[in-house]
Amino acid sequence: PTITAESQARVSTDVMNFLQRCLTIDPQKRADTSELLQHAFIRRAKPLQSLCPNIKAVCKADVD
């Protein structure tokens, strides 16, 4: 898979690296769960609970 230059410009280097590790075609070279859980992108991620205000705002906008 490829990611457009426009998309790459909108995300951090950590996200791009994480996606590249996840999307590596060769399973022998692809990152396993242990590696991904230790990746900088995941380690810096906020708890899922922090997404609730955004989800509620989108749901409210859909109703309006």
Side-chain angles (χ1 to χ4, degrees), residues 4-34:
T4 66
E6 179 185 339
S7 294
Q8 290 180 31
R10 294 188 325 211
V11 298
S12 71
T13 303
D14 283 342
V15 171
M16 286 303 303
N17 182 267
F18 183 82
L19 290 173
Q20 288 170 345
R21 297 298 298 135
C22 291
L23 299 174
T24 299
I25 294 171
D26 183 346
Q28 297 299 318
K29 295 179 182 177
R30 188 180 312 132
D32 61 12
T33 306
S34 297

Side-chain angles (χ1 to χ4, degrees), residues 14-62:
D14 283 342
V15 171
M16 286 303 303
N17 182 267
F18 183 82
L19 290 173
Q20 288 170 345
R21 297 298 298 135
C22 291
L23 299 174
T24 299
I25 294 171
D26 183 346
Q28 297 299 318
K29 295 179 182 177
R30 188 180 312 132
D32 61 12
T33 306
S34 297
E35 179 184 334
L36 293 174
L37 288 173
Q38 295 303 313
H39 194 280
F41 172 65
I42 298 297
R43 292 174 62 121
R44 283 185 254 212
K46 293 182 179 180
L48 289 177
Q49 189 70 16
S50 68
L51 295 175
C52 287
N54 295 333
I55 294 168
K56 288 177 182 177
V58 169
C59 291
K60 182 179 178 193
D62 287 345

